[in-house]
Amino acid sequence: MEPTTFEIYAPVRNTINKALGVVVKVAGDNVTVQPLSGERMTFKSQYLAPATEAEAAALRDLATRLKLEEENRERAKTVKTDPALIREEFEKFVKHIGVRYPKSAEAFREFWAELMAAAGDIPGQTWEMRPNTSKNPGPVLKIFNKSTQKWVYCLSLLAGWGLRLEMKKEFLPAGSEALFPIDHAMFGSGRAVELVYRDFTPEKRKPYADCVREIYARYGLSAIAAPAAPPALDNPVA
């Protein structure tokens, strides 16, 4: 007898204990199921049966949620590489701030423009968004890591009523520690500062923009693209 073949998001019933669930993965005759509550479990397909119409109705909300979560994961992958979508997510983020704190949103945009002038406004490369997450939402500046040949997070901006900046220690220029007085941020890998917009005047913003400008002069696109200096000649021609 051939084992039953199940589609992703199909409602199923465990034939042994009658537990209901939704299929989330199929690998050969191994089927992973998300139950109505609890952790996912993997069964041989022979121990599962299609849910009845009534059982499927009870699983409909779960299947819808699982589909939406997968769509959000796929969108997150796309947003990381699509400049238009990155800008769209940024606009949504700032507008969300503006709904509650209009003046904060305006101040954040001004500072963001100064950072873009310092770092280079290239979404997907010099900066990106953390989409579809409640953990540290907001834009992040990225730096080229020569050892891994990848663009990695450098400065995170957690914006709302106030503004928190978190900088990776490895990229912080010597002498700039006072700009980020909170140590052990980012699980110990960074330094941070918490700012109130009304006190964050153009004069106080300038050192932060200058700090970012110095970092990107060292690690950004201009540093990567800069040609190596020609070797010195023992007997240069006059």
Side-chain angles (χ1 to χ4, degrees), residues 38-235:
E39 300 294 325
R40 295 180 177 185
M41 294 176 285
T42 300
F43 306 93
K44 293 294 184 182
S45 60
Q46 68 192 74
Y47 297 112
L48 298 173
T52 66
E53 185 175 339
E55 291 169 339
L59 292 166
R60 191 167 294 127
D61 288 347
L62 174 59
T64 300
R65 177 171 63 81
L66 292 171
K67 291 177 184 178
L68 180 60
E69 289 175 353
E70 180 60 24
E71 289 172 2
N72 285 340
R73 281 192 291 269
E74 291 301 316
R75 178 176 172 79
K77 294 176 185 177
T78 304
V79 166
K80 281 182 174 291
T81 58
D82 188 319
L85 289 178
I86 293 172
R87 292 193 188 279
E88 180 182 320
E89 291 295 325
F90 177 82
E91 289 301 321
K92 288 180 183 177
F93 176 74
V94 180
K95 287 179 181 178
H96 180 72
I97 297 172
V99 169
R100 297 184 65 188
Y101 314 112
K103 294 294 185 182
S104 295
E106 293 175 14
F108 178 74
R109 281 190 184 278
E110 290 179 6
F111 182 52
W112 179 254
E114 294 166 354
L115 292 183
M116 291 295 93
D121 186 3
I122 309 176
Q125 192 164 74
T126 58
W127 69 278
E128 67 181 42
M129 295 294 294
R130 290 190 180 97
N132 303 317
T133 176
S134 60
K135 182 180 179 181
N136 297 337
V140 289
L141 300 188
K142 300 175 69 179
I143 283 295
F144 188 74
N145 186 316
K146 291 184 179 179
S147 62
T148 63
Q149 295 292 296
K150 294 181 179 179
W151 289 82
V152 298
Y153 286 177
C154 168
L155 176 67
S156 298
L157 294 89
L158 287 72
W161 174 81
L163 176 64
R164 180 181 172 94
L165 305 177
E166 295 186 343
M167 171 74 75
K168 280 284 187 70
K169 291 180 182 179
E170 62 188 286
F171 301 119
L172 190 62
S176 300
E177 291 80 6
L179 294 175
F180 299 88
I182 304 171
D183 200 359
H184 304 301
M186 295 175 157
F187 303 99
S189 66
R191 296 182 66 93
V193 61
E194 293 184 350
L195 303 157
V196 178
Y197 289 110
R198 66 170 177 267
D199 300 325
F200 201 34
T201 62
E203 293 76 21
K204 290 185 178 179
R205 294 199 306 261
K206 186 177 184 302
Y208 290 95
D210 289 345
C211 178
V212 169
R213 186 172 288 104
E214 182 178 346
I215 293 170
Y216 276 78
R218 183 180 304 174
Y219 299 102
L221 284 171
S222 60
I224 299 169
L233 300 176
D234 292 334
N235 297 298

Side-chain angles (χ1 to χ4, degrees), residues 3-24:
T4 303
T5 301
F6 295 98
E7 300 290 335
I8 301 297
Y9 305 123
V12 295
R13 179 182 69 258
N14 187 307
T15 58
I16 298 175
N17 61 14
K18 311 304 180 184
L20 302 178
V22 173
V23 174
V24 293

